[in-house]
Each structure stands twice: as C-alpha cells, then as structure tokens.
C-alpha cells in the first residue's frame, strides 16, 4: 500500500463510505481506514429512515423494509398514523453499509479493514495525514492532501486537530434485535414518558422476516438513567405490545452514542474536513443520522476532490463544504436542536398534550415534522389545524420556528 493519498478517510461508516465514493468518482486517489474487522459490524444504530431518501441515494429496495403504520404512545394517549404507500422504512444496516463500501470500491477507493487511526500528522498548522495501527499491529504514517474525519461520535482526529471538543450532550441508546414471530412487520412504535424512556424515547422498528429492533435512548447529561434497564420493561409492561412480543427473544444486543448538540460552525480547516456524526451532522430531533451522514459524506468527498484537483487544500477552499452543508441542512438542524432541547424536558402530562396535538395533524404533516423538513408552510399548516395554539404557549414556539425559517431564507438569498 503506498503511503501517499489524495484523500484519506478515517472510518468506514455511512459518512466515510459515501465520501470515498464521491471523491473517487472525481478521479482522485482515496483510502478509507476502518478499525473494525467488518463493515457494518458491530451495529450501533436502529436503521429507521425514509424511502424517498433511499431512492434518492440509489439504495436497492431489498436493503430497506417499508413501514405503513406509525404509532405514538405517551402515558395516557395513543396516535396511529397510516401511510399507503409507505414513507418510512427500516434499513438492513449491515447490508446498506456493505453496499456503500462496494460502491466506494467500484469507484476506485481503497478500503483497509482493522486499521485504527491514532494521531493527526501536522505540519505548519495543517493536517497532512494520520498515524495508524494496522492489522498486524504495526504503526504506519499515511500522508494525504485532505484528511476526512468520518469516525463518528469519537470525532477522533477532529478533537486532536482542535475542531471542537468531544461531545458533551449525547443520546445513549440500548437495543435488542429480536426474533419476534408474532410482531406485525409493518407497525413501528415510538414511545414517550418517564416509565419507559425518561428524557428520550423508546422505539420498536420491525425490519422484515420476523426481526424487530426494540430500543431506548436517553439524553445525557440531561439525565443519568441507564437506557439498558428499560428494555425488558418495554417488551413486557406495555399493554399494546405484550401480545405482539409473545414468543420473542433477542438475537443481538446493540448500544451506541449519538451527538445531541448543535452542529459546529466550521467543519473544515487546512487539510481536514469533518463529516457525518463527527461534524454533528445528524438530526437531534429524534436522533436520526444515517441519511444525513451519507449526504454529508457525499458533499465532503466532493469538496475534498475539488480541492485536490485545484491544488488548493487550504481552509479557505475547504470551507466550500461548510457553506454547502449549512445552505442545505443548517436551518432544519438548528430547529431540530431547538425542539430536542425543549421536548427532552417534557413531563408525562406534556407528552399527553403533545399527542393530543398530533391527533389534529395529517399523516403527511406528521411525516414532514418527523423528517425534520421544517418550512413556513408546515408551521402555517399546523397553526391552521390547531387555532387553539394561537392563544397557548405553543404559538410562541412556532413563532420562534418561523423566525428561524425566515432568517435563514433571507441569509441564503443574500449568500
Ligand atoms: C442507539 C442509536 C440508534 C440510532 N438509530 C438511528 C436510526 O434509527 N436512524 C438513523 O438514521 N440514525 C440512527 N442513529 C444515528 C446513526 O447511527 C448515526 O448518525 C450514523 O451511524 C452516523 O454515521 P457516521 O458514518 O458518521 O458514523 P458511524 O456510523 O459511527 O461510523 C464511524 C466509523 O468509523 C470507525 N472509526 C471510528 N474511529 C476510528 C479510528 N480511530 N480509526 C479507524 N476507524 C474508526 C468506526 O468503527 C465506524 O465504522 C442511531 C444512533 C444510535 C447511537
């Protein structure tokens, strides 16, 4: 393996693999280093996503499972939404990530497994590559024109290069992947309230062939509960679910961490980009990051390749990535974070009221809100269906959202 590359990517998750494909397609020399033995293993995610995005990202249909019913549960309320055709899906995580790896390799990228990146190489204040421990435990130095940190939550190189501290606020999730032969394979549950998911939520995501992911995520340090302690309670103590989980048993056990902070102002510096979770590019609304990691990786890989081809890998050139990401996702992510901070303090009573509000929205409005596609028309539509909000506290919050939307629409028109 040569030790000089145009673009070196730390991490073979969805962000890193998408970055590799996108950069390699531009004809530059790309290396991905992944510390694990396999792509897509171990699993740290639940795989909830959206069919329109899977189609936009050219993901083959056999890699995602459609969902036609979404049920919200709060302590004393239940809201069921039905979709035909389905809009949400649960992805085959390992299958999807390996598919992305194959696409990167087909585009010309080199992937090295069981290579753990340790340090950033710095020269005159710029990042010029990394040191890594390879599969036979040798320490190697690898130089590159652009390094992309796609290492996920650890933001390993980003932190060492002074691009933000380690994440302080984060979602901590624990999950069973079960064989549940009696669980209806088209019904997804989102469960709120202090008995099952304090300062967070629980989920039940069927993924086809009798397999179901059941998990709990809580926000730290907002609370110090252990998500793992709630898993059995969800299976056995929620009346709507007990029959459905009859005869079920876990086959896999997953845990993971998800950044729950506002995105960084800058994701680039001389010779370095941060993509995916490393840049805080997922939506904190419900802790959704897979499709956002892929989009962010694609954008980062594209800009890295443009920089290499232009012979200019300075912070000023690489800032194109910051600009493009903020223009496409900045506003929605800011609003998602604002909502997440608010709902993570909800009492059981507030969750019941929130579900009363949801009952008055159309399934399309709910899907748009869950996706985090915040637009003035969505806010106005919610107000139109809920005139009572105009005299309650909810109006102030929606006004704040509108203010955000208008400000960023103005900023992008000026930019
Ligand atoms: C419990 C839980 C449930 C979730 N559920 C959903 C969901 O339902 N839907 C959704 O869209 N999102 C979900 N997410 C979020 C989603 O998993 C992440 O946003 C997404 O995985 C981010 O992709 P990434 O490529 O940025 O990082 P990662 O997927 O974390 O990939 C990073 C890769 O880098 C490698 N790596 C790290 N450090 C090094 C190093 N030093 N050297 C070499 N390799 C390294 C890792 O091994 C890993 O393969 C969930 C997250 C958690 C924690």
């Amino acid at each position: 393996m040569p030790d000089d590359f145009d673009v070196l990517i730390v991490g073979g998750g969805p962000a890193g693999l998408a970055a590799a494909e996108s950069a390699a397609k531009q004809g530059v020399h790309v290396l991905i280093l992944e510390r694990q033995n396999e792509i897509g293993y171990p699993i740290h995610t639940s795989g909830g996503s959206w069919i329109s995005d899977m189609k936009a990202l050219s993901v083959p249909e056999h890699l995602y499972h459609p969902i036609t019913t979404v049920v919200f549960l709060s302590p004393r309320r239940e809201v069921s939404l039905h979709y035909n055709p389905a809009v949400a899906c649960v992805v085959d995580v390992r299958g999807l990530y390996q598919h992305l790896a194959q696409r990167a390799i087909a585009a010309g990228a080199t992937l090295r497994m069981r290579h753990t990146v340790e340090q950033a190489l710095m020269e005159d204040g710029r990042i010029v590559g990394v040191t890594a421990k390879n599969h036979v435990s040798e320490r190697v130095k690898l130089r590159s024109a652009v390094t992309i940190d796609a290492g996920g939550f650890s933001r390993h190189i980003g932190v060492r290069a002074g691009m933000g501290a380690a994440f302080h606020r984060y979602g901590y999730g624990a999950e069973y992947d079960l064989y549940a032969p009696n669980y209806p394979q088209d019904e997804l549950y989102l469960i709120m309230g202090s008995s099952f998911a304090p300062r967070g939520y629980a989920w039940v995501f069927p993924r086809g062939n009798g397999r179901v992911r059941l998990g709990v995520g809580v926000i730290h340090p907002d609370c110090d509960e252990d998500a793992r302690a709630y898993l059995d309670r969800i299976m056995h103590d929620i009346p709507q679910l007990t029959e459905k989980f009859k005869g079920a048993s876990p086959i896999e056990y997953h845990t993971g961490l998800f950044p729950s902070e506002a995105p960084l102002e800058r994701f680039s510096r001389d010779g370095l980009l941060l993509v995916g979770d490393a840049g805080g590019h997922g939506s904190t609304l419900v802790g959704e990051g897979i499709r956002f990691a892929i989009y962010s990786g694609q954008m980062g890989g594209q800009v890295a390749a443009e920089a290499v081809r232009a012979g200019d890998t300075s912070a000023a050139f690489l800032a194109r990535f910051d600009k493009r990401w903020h223009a496409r996702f900045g506003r929605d992510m800011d609003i998602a974070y604002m909502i997440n901070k608010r709902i993570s303090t909800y009492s059981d009573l507030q969750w019941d009221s929130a579900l009363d509000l949801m009952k008055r929205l159309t399934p399309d409005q709910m899907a748009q809100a869950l996706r985090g596609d915040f637009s003035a028309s969505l806010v106005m539509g919610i107000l139109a269906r809920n005139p009572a909000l105009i005299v309650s506290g909810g109006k102030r919050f929606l006004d704040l959202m509108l203010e955000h939307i208008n400000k960023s629409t103005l900023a992008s028109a000026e930019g």
Side-chain angles (χ1 to χ4, degrees), residues 8 14 34 103 118 128 134 187 203 208 213 269 274 302 358 370 410:
L8 184 151
E34 169 54 53
R103 276 169 42 172
E118 294 184 326
V128 294
N134 71 13
E187 271 183 29
W203 60 86
R213 297 201 177 108
R269 58 168 285 176
L274 308 189
Q302 169 83 26
M358 286 179 196
L370 258 188
L410 215 67

Side-chain angles (χ1 to χ4, degrees), residues 238-253:
I238 298 182
Q240 290 92 329
L241 295 179
T242 41
E243 272 303 300
K244 293 174 181 169
F245 280 114
K246 221 169 156 188
S249 173
I251 289 182
E252 297 176 23
Y253 190 83

Side-chain angles (χ1 to χ4, degrees), residues 156-175:
H156 189 83
I157 290 301
V159 171
R160 277 152 190 80
M163 299 276 302
F167 291 104
H168 173 67
R169 187 173 185 267
Y170 57 91
Y172 161 50
E175 180 181 79

